[in-house]
Amino acid sequence: MLHVLDDLRERAIRQLGRGQLSFDRKKAIIGENLYGVDVMEWACHVAELRLWLALIIDADISSGELRELPQPLLPHFSFNIRCGNSLVQEIGGFNLAQILADFSGVSNTLKDKVKVLREEKLKFFNNDDTRQYRSKQALEKEEVTLFRKLIDSQVNVIKGHINVLHQEIRAARVQQLNIHGEAEAPGAGELDRDTQQWQEQIKTHPVHCDELKQTWFAIGNTPTLPFVWDIAFVQIFAAEGSGFDIVIGNPPYVRQENIADPNLPRENITPENQKAQKKSLQSQTCTFGVSSFSRFLWLQTP
């Protein structure tokens, strides 16, 4: 994928009569257009090494110039290649794929924060001297903070919807005038149906709010941050035109009866945890949107 994109960009630049070094071109593509997920940490390191090699072979720079560079020649891949289970999105026992379906109702202020985070990740990738976050841990902490704010915004959207439903119920009970100017209540059967539907929604929404709040606390209480699409790639999924344009997946080449948690040592695999893993896989799905053909993801499923 890197070579395909590099070839397309090189042709476009040449047609425009511009020039750009192959190293700079590939570095920009990796930083802004390529993302990856793998359940195995060693596989992530191999992918990073492969991308570094793809860059270094095009680095037309002498050893003397290299020693004088004010910043590292090669970039950080920490926020482009993420380690985690791409299918099972759980935090504190909660299924994030079901709890947080989208970022509807996100305020412009939060959208601006998402934009800033995206810019900071790109600065971190490039070892930019003006970057605000100097370590991977500091940037991950900011990811969690932003995700919590997004959860808060979702809770506020739900509360607002509950208030609207209460208003609908009250309005439906108000008598209205018919064409003869006589006071007339809405039809009992129609009112009962509508009211029942509204009341059912009012009962469901607080449960969803509670799940979101518990997830809010669980995020900060885990020793290592689990992989959750909306956190790991918040700059993709919380932005306009959210989603990846092309997804390349590598399915598990095992029989279904051998499916187990890939992070468990072979000797610790039992029928019970195999059953739990299959249940988690069955209950969760990953959905990718299509935007402007500028973001690509390679995906290693467990």
Side-chain angles (χ1 to χ4, degrees):
M1 184 62 71
L2 172 61
H3 296 298
V4 171
L5 293 176
D6 180 54
D7 180 64
L8 290 173
R9 183 169 292 190
E10 192 275 334
R11 291 170 186 241
I13 290 174
R14 190 169 63 244
Q15 285 293 324
L16 293 172
R18 301 174 185 172
Q20 187 179 29
L21 295 176
S22 177
F23 176 85
D24 295 332
R25 197 168 56 242
K26 287 182 178 179
K27 184 178 179 181
I29 291 171
I30 295 171
E32 301 178 41
N33 305 106
L34 291 180
Y35 301 83
V37 183
D38 199 290
V39 71
M40 296 298 183
E41 188 173 6
W42 63 263
C44 293
H45 294 324
V46 169
E48 291 177 4
L49 176 60
R50 179 64 184 85
L51 291 174
W52 275 325
L53 290 174
L55 281 176
I56 201 65
I57 60 174
D58 288 325
D60 187 14
I61 183 170
S62 67
S63 57
E65 292 173 320
L66 184 61
R67 284 193 295 270
E68 296 176 2
L69 284 176
Q71 57 190 24
L73 175 67
L74 297 176
H76 288 285
F77 292 120
S78 303
F79 297 97
N80 287 64
I81 300 176
R82 308 298 290 254
C83 181
N85 192 320
S86 60
L87 298 181
V88 180
Q89 303 177 80
E90 289 185 349
I91 288 182
F94 295 99
N95 182 344
L96 266 293
Q98 295 177 357
I99 292 176
L100 194 61
D102 56 55
F103 285 119
S104 61
V106 174
S107 67
N108 289 331
T109 300
L110 277 180
K111 288 179 180 179
D112 290 340
K113 290 183 180 298
V114 170
K115 182 179 178 181
V116 170
L117 180 61
R118 175 178 173 81
E119 292 171 352
E120 286 298 327
K121 284 185 175 181
L122 190 56
K123 287 182 178 181
F124 186 79
F125 172 85
N126 288 313
N127 296 295
D128 193 317
D129 288 336
T130 65
R131 65 188 186 276
Q132 180 179 350
Y133 304 99
R134 295 289 172 174
S135 68
K136 176 185 176 183
Q137 291 74 21
L139 203 43
E140 285 177 341
K141 185 177 180 180
E142 181 60 21
E143 278 190 343
V144 172
T145 299
L146 179 58
F147 191 66
R148 281 178 160 176
K149 290 180 179 178
L150 289 166
I151 289 178
D152 288 337
S153 72
Q154 288 294 92
V155 171
N156 290 333
V157 167
I158 294 172
K159 288 180 177 179
H161 192 205
I162 291 174
N163 290 333
V164 170
L165 291 174
H166 280 300
Q167 293 172 12
E168 293 284 357
I169 293 174
R170 287 194 295 269
R173 296 185 183 278
V174 176
Q175 290 187 337
Q176 300 180 6
L177 296 179
N178 60 22
I179 59 175
H180 303 293
E182 300 169 338
E184 186 178 80
E190 179 182 349
L191 177 59
D192 288 344
R193 282 197 305 273
D194 290 341
T195 302
Q196 185 176 5
Q197 291 177 358
W198 293 330
Q199 288 175 340
E200 286 299 320
Q201 291 182 49
I202 289 173
K203 290 179 183 178
T204 304
H205 286 329
V207 174
H208 189 51
C209 280
D210 288 341
E211 290 177 334
L212 286 170
K213 289 176 181 177
Q214 292 180 60
T215 302
W216 191 98
F217 287 107
I219 289 173
N221 294 331
T222 51
T224 56
L225 187 64
F227 178 80
V228 178
W229 287 102
D230 302 284
I231 296 178
F233 299 123
V234 66
Q235 72 273 30
I236 302 297
F237 288 101
E240 290 187 19
S242 62
F244 292 98
D245 303 294
I246 295 178
V247 178
I248 302 175
N250 184 13
Y253 296 102
V254 297
R255 296 179 62 87
Q256 65 86 17
E257 57 268 23
N258 293 328
I259 292 177
D261 187 339
N263 293 311
L264 280 178
R266 187 179 299 273
E267 61 272 16
N268 292 343
I269 295 176
T270 65
E272 288 73 21
N273 56 46
Q274 281 186 303
K275 184 177 179 180
Q277 177 71 6
K278 291 178 185 178
K279 185 177 180 180
S280 294
L281 289 170
Q282 290 170 353
S283 67
Q284 303 196 45
T285 58
C286 291
T287 303
F288 303 94
V290 176
S291 54
S292 58
F293 291 95
S294 62
R295 295 186 289 262
F296 302 83
L297 172 78
W298 61 260
L299 175 67
Q300 169 71 51
T301 55

